[in-house]
Amino acid sequence: MMVTNAAESANVRIMTNALSALPDDIDALKVLILAERVAHAVVTEARDAALAERDTLAVRNMKLEHIVAEMRRAMYGRRSERIDDNQLALVLEALETEHAKTEAEAEKADPKLKSERARKRRASRNDNVDHLPHEEVVIEPESRLCPCCSGTLHMIGEDVSKRLDKQPAKLTVVVTRRPKYACRSCEKNGADEVAGIIQAPAPARLIEGGLPTERLVADIVVSKFADHLPLYRQSQILARSGVRIERSTLAHWVGAAAAELQPLHDRLIALFKASPKLFCDETRCPVLDPGRGKTKTGYMWALARDDRPWGGADPPAVAYRYAPGRGAQHAVKLLAGFSGVLQVDGYAAYSQLAAPARPGGPVTLAYCYELYVGGNQPIATEALARIKLLYDIEAEVRGLPPQLRRAIRRERSKPIVEAMKPWLEDNLTRMSKGSTLAEAIAYGLNHWDGLVRYLDDGRIEIDSNTVERSIRPLALTRKNALFAGHDLGAESWAMIASLLETCKLNAIDPLAWITDVLTKLVNRWPASRIDELMPWAYAKSAA
């Protein structure tokens, strides 16, 4: 009872002191109450902002957790659950879209949030669109009379905003007229009427007597082989514009373009064989086999060149060639005449290229580091950590001359590599020979001389990512088209894809290049000047 009375007495004293602190003046009390309300509003606004930020961060955290989960599944999941890079990109795209939808719904419900995010977008967006055609839209007020005195208003400034717009494909008809001219004097003198007529010659066409311009054919070719849009879908898109062109007709146009472009592909392969260093890889290419009513497995062999990491003068390029198989004879045929350094994976077919008795001399094989295959084993994690040290050094030497790259590698990378081999050998003896990790370590040890060759040659890369990146566009086209219709069709696919991907490597618009090249070729461009049509030459002429 005494404790309760003491507490009540303390509360009474606190309230008495608080009341005595209040002013007796009514106006002062009003000011105090107003200040209290303002402070409460500020606190409430700050609390609401903190809660909104908490909710935003919670959504973002959920999105990041999804991304991490998908990446873990892609890298470490069971083999049946693993997804490739393209599938992972689709997953991330869906997550980004869903996140954007959530943000848009929040903006609709909160005008203040919408205004704040709009301000941030204006501050961070990239307005690098000055190279595009501009369409001016001027929005005038309903009246330009002063609301006070009805006088005429004059312009004192303006607010300008830019938005990126896109119009659907615009189909036009090019009408070519060739007037005929005759001489009246010759006609009066009875001269031969036919001989007196003058008319400009008809321009050459890719499809003589056909409907398309060279630019339309170029667009179809680029859409199919660079943007991975099959011809039947392009036919559907054209039909939406009221132009009905059968898929077989589009295929005929693509074939005509392929016939014109073939010499450029042949020249590209010839230039590759004169290069000091190339990358090579192969990927599966399903081809329709009508006799059996299903597909057979062919292969796209890829040659790639990128000398930019060591300052080489040759421009980057890629060349594909179709072969009905994956045997060593196809690699031998593809690289006949080449005698430089070839970076490849451990596929046994390439070993024949290094034979001393090979015509033209043996090829020097360099292999890539692929010792880490995933998993949670401490050995795999340690292998990855050691290889990462090598990659960190490679990031520092990228772009340096070969001699300097070699010197830095021998000073800093060589000790790491020399310590890695006995470590791998020791761990290999402790694990099951049938495990995936054991197979990966055995691969590294069996190809050790080729793996460490990059230490003594500054032109060699630590991996073959250059050619692996070049194969991804083929995989996308393969997924969308499912298979090539014939061996000859696969050969044309390889040829055209080579030229278009080389355009991309040289930062050239494939559509602009192929339109220009097709126009020149049908107008009998001399074969002696074919090098002027190569993508990198086009880049220089357009600069």
Side-chain angles (χ1 to χ4, degrees):
M1 187 70 177
M2 294 180 61
V3 174
T4 302
N5 290 337
E8 290 178 350
S9 300
N11 290 334
V12 170
R13 284 196 301 271
I14 293 173
M15 293 178 64
T16 301
N17 293 335
L19 290 172
S20 62
L22 293 174
D24 296 328
D25 183 64
I26 294 178
D27 291 334
L29 280 172
K30 289 181 178 179
V31 171
L32 187 62
I33 293 172
L34 181 61
E36 182 70 21
R37 288 179 176 176
V38 170
H40 178 72
V42 171
V43 171
T44 302
E45 183 178 359
R47 182 199 63 194
D48 293 343
L51 291 174
E53 184 179 6
R54 181 202 64 185
D55 294 340
T56 301
L57 292 175
V59 173
R60 185 170 299 173
N61 185 60
M62 185 181 302
K63 168 192 164 187
L64 293 174
E65 287 179 351
H66 275 296
I67 292 175
V68 170
E70 291 296 340
M71 295 188 71
R72 281 178 175 169
R73 183 163 70 91
M75 296 178 64
Y76 307 125
R78 289 179 296 180
R79 183 168 298 181
S80 60
E81 296 180 346
R82 292 181 188 176
I83 58 178
D84 59 25
D85 292 344
N86 296 321
Q87 293 170 323
L88 179 60
L90 291 175
V91 171
L92 298 182
E93 178 183 295
L95 290 173
E96 292 282 357
T97 301
E98 188 61 30
H99 178 64
K101 178 185 175 185
T102 303
E103 288 187 339
E105 290 171 346
E107 289 181 15
K108 281 185 177 182
D110 188 348
K112 186 175 181 180
L113 177 63
K114 182 177 182 179
S115 176
E116 176 64 20
R117 288 181 176 171
R119 183 187 63 78
K120 290 181 178 180
R121 291 189 194 105
R122 292 191 190 98
S124 62
R125 76 180 189 179
N126 180 11
D127 281 344
N128 186 22
V129 293
D130 291 339
H131 63 289
L132 298 174
H134 282 47
E135 176 184 340
E136 296 283 346
V137 177
V138 180
I139 303 176
E140 295 281 4
E142 293 182 1
S143 172
R144 287 197 282 180
L145 297 178
C146 178
C148 299
C149 66
S150 298
T152 303
L153 301 174
H154 68 281
M155 183 175 173
I156 60 173
E158 63 179 357
D159 292 330
V160 180
S161 63
K162 294 182 180 180
R163 295 193 302 159
L164 188 62
D165 191 23
K166 180 180 179 180
Q167 297 180 1
K170 185 179 179 180
L171 295 170
T172 59
V173 177
V174 178
V175 180
T176 303
R177 301 182 185 276
R178 294 187 298 124
K180 295 180 180 181
Y181 295 93
C183 177
R184 294 187 184 276
S185 299
C186 292
E187 289 177 357
K188 291 179 180 179
N189 295 332
D192 185 352
E193 184 178 352
V194 177
I197 296 177
I198 296 177
Q199 184 182 33
R205 296 180 177 181
L206 176 64
I207 310 295
E208 289 293 345
L211 186 64
T213 64
E214 285 68 42
R215 182 163 53 189
L216 176 57
V217 175
D219 182 75
I220 292 167
V221 168
V222 172
S223 296
K224 176 176 173 60
F225 295 106
D227 300 328
H228 324 294
L229 191 62
L231 294 182
Y232 78 90
R233 294 184 187 171
Q234 295 191 53
S235 178
Q236 293 170 350
I237 293 171
L238 289 169
R240 290 204 297 265
S241 298
V243 180
R244 297 191 177 278
I245 300 176
E246 296 296 328
R247 179 200 53 78
S248 58
T249 302
L250 298 180
H252 173 72
W253 295 353
V254 172
E260 293 292 336
L261 296 171
Q262 184 64 56
L264 276 75
H265 183 258
D266 296 339
R267 178 59 178 162
L268 181 61
I269 295 288
L271 292 172
F272 266 34
K273 292 182 179 181
S275 300
K277 186 179 74 70
L278 295 175
F279 298 85
C280 188
D281 201 357
E282 73 289 331
T283 187
R284 185 177 52 84
C285 177
V287 177
L288 189 63
D289 190 1
R292 297 191 303 162
K294 52 185 179 180
T295 60
K296 61 182 180 180
T297 302
Y299 284 87
M300 288 287 192
W301 293 74
L303 294 175
R305 178 182 69 192
D306 192 350
D307 297 343
R308 290 174 294 184
W310 52 273
D314 290 336
V318 60
Y320 309 110
R321 179 161 282 177
Y322 171 76
R326 197 186 178 210
Q329 70 272 22
H330 301 296
V332 171
K333 180 180 179 181
L334 175 64
L335 289 156
F338 174 72
S339 58
V341 176
L342 188 68
Q343 288 205 241
V344 294
D345 56 23
Y347 181 41
Y350 297 114
S351 60
Q352 289 196 18
L353 299 172
R358 176 178 179 266
V363 168
T364 301
L365 297 179
Y367 298 107
C368 58
Y369 277 79
E370 291 184 348
L371 300 181
Y372 178 71
V373 294
N376 298 318
Q377 304 98 317
I379 297 175
T381 303
E382 175 66 17
L384 177 61
R386 291 175 181 242
I387 294 175
K388 183 181 181 301
L389 295 176
L390 299 177
Y391 271 87
D392 290 342
I393 298 171
E394 290 304 300
E396 296 178 27
V397 302
R398 186 167 293 112
L400 299 180
Q403 298 83 356
L404 185 55
R405 283 160 59 97
R406 178 181 182 273
I408 295 175
R409 285 169 173 174
R410 291 188 65 81
E411 177 185 353
R412 298 172 56 189
S413 301
K414 188 175 181 180
I416 300 173
V417 172
E418 289 180 340
M420 188 185 300
K421 186 177 183 181
W423 178 82
L424 290 172
E425 291 173 335
D426 178 60
N427 281 284
L428 184 59
T429 61
R430 304 181 184 183
M431 62 180 63
S432 172
K433 292 184 179 180
S435 68
T436 304
L437 183 58
E439 292 176 357
I441 293 178
Y443 158 83
L445 294 174
N446 292 336
H447 297 84
W448 192 257
D449 290 343
L451 283 174
V452 302
R453 188 157 282 136
Y454 86 105
L455 297 174
D456 296 313
D457 191 334
R459 301 170 302 169
I460 300 177
E461 292 296 293
I462 193 173
D463 56 37
S464 56
N465 286 346
T466 297
V467 69
E468 291 175 4
R469 286 192 299 267
S470 298
I471 280 180
R472 288 176 187 170
L474 293 178
L476 286 174
T477 300
R478 181 179 64 206
K479 285 184 178 181
N480 287 342
L482 301 181
F483 50 79
H486 192 277
D487 284 341
L488 296 178
E491 292 173 4
S492 295
W493 173 9
M495 183 269 294
I496 295 176
S498 301
L499 300 173
L500 297 183
E501 291 303 320
T502 297
C503 281
K504 294 180 183 179
L505 287 173
N506 289 272
I508 298 168
D509 177 10
L511 179 59
W513 175 81
I514 199 170
T515 301
D516 181 69
V517 167
L518 284 177
T519 302
K520 289 176 177 176
L521 288 172
V522 298
N523 282 280
R524 300 183 181 277
W525 184 267
S528 60
R529 296 173 56 192
I530 193 171
D531 284 356
E532 297 176 32
L533 299 182
M534 303 307 288
W536 50 84
Y538 179 85
K540 292 180 180 178
S541 64

